[in-house]
Amino acid sequence: MNRLVAILGLVSCLALVGAGCPHQGTGPTPVTPMLVNMKVVGQQVCGPFVSQALNYAFTCNGLPSPVPSGWQMTPVRVPSVADPTRSHTNRIAILTVSGGSGTELDVEYVVNAGNPNTNRLLTQVDPNQPPGPGEVAIKKQVGVSATDDGATKTWTVSVNVSTCVEMRHIQLFDRAGSPPVRKGPLDVYFFRDPADEDCGGGGSYSGGGGISIARVGPGDQTKDSPTGPCPGNAPRTLFNVCQNCAFGHPQNANEWTGYEGCSWQEVLDVFGYTGVGATKPQICTIRQAASREDCEGPP
């Protein structure tokens, strides 16, 4: 009898498909991502703003919010809490973003703003495992971790912004399903005052994916990392790269970069210390440090 009732109910539901029958098996549903929190050394940009001769206007709503937001990262170096005689570069912004339970987050770097934008999907890495995310435009990486309480999924997104850049623009999308459905974007902009940039000795970068950057900071790569396995299929090694491009090379101007590669010679190559016309060795120093603290001092 129960089986007959179930069959009749299904037939009735199919006949009255527009009458509000339950829809099962839909899976996770993407929603417009929301910026829940921002951890950055600097301040939020509110109202009209000009960067690289382009005009912006930001409405500073309270968080959480799905509206575009701008954040100015300043100063370019911040003193160590444990040792005020040492300093660290101000490169990392940490976003908290929410979306639908069971969904996934796509983070894209906007190469050229337009209609439509030219975007590059960023590779997601574990922000808690060295070396962490590389520079968002040059290394095309972003650090992402997530939690899900069954109602909302929350991501922590770490963005590495070069010290030698006026603006970086990322877009975040909530994604689910096959074929995938996306909601968004959530637009987030990072700015620097040109007078507050650190470009000393960095050179320029020209890489794949249509990205060419005229200037890079001393801690940024000047070319893409080699692809493929290391010789003999050896595992890649984490190198603690310590550079200093300041005049006189004072210790408090050291800049650390974590890099996974096959050899120290590869490090010298991708950071611009070898090759025809390389000028970085005339301006900067580079050494393999034991750790980030060995290079820049304590946090």
Side-chain angles (χ1 to χ4, degrees), residues 76-120:
V76 71
R77 296 190 72 92
V78 294
S80 163
V81 175
D83 182 358
T85 67
R86 306 291 292 271
S87 65
H88 309 280
T89 51
N90 179 14
R91 297 180 66 105
I92 302 296
I94 301 176
L95 299 69
T96 303
V97 177
S98 68
S101 177
T103 60
E104 301 299 331
L105 186 71
D106 289 339
V107 187
E108 298 182 353
Y109 169 66
V110 180
V111 182
N112 296 303
N115 188 17
N117 294 331
T118 303
N119 287 11
R120 293 290 178 268

Side-chain angles (χ1 to χ4, degrees), residues 251-289:
Q251 189 180 38
N252 68 351
N254 284 352
E255 183 163 348
W256 172 89
T257 308
Y259 179 83
E260 286 188 323
C262 297
S263 66
W264 183 248
Q265 184 59 44
E266 179 184 317
V267 173
L268 296 176
D269 184 45
V270 300
F271 283 94
Y273 287 85
T274 61
V276 177
T279 59
K280 208 168 179 182
Q282 303 169 23
I283 303 169
C284 309
T285 62
I286 185 172
R287 67 180 177 89
Q288 184 176 348

Side-chain angles (χ1 to χ4, degrees), residues 28-33 100 103-110 116-122 124 171-186:
T29 302
V31 299
T32 301
T103 60
E104 301 299 331
L105 186 71
D106 289 339
V107 187
E108 298 182 353
Y109 169 66
V110 180
N117 294 331
T118 303
N119 287 11
R120 293 290 178 268
L121 182 66
L122 299 174
Q124 299 185 11
Q171 293 185 323
L172 303 97
F173 300 84
D174 196 19
R175 169 177 52 84
S178 180
V181 175
R182 301 205 307 177
K183 293 290 186 179
L186 171 66

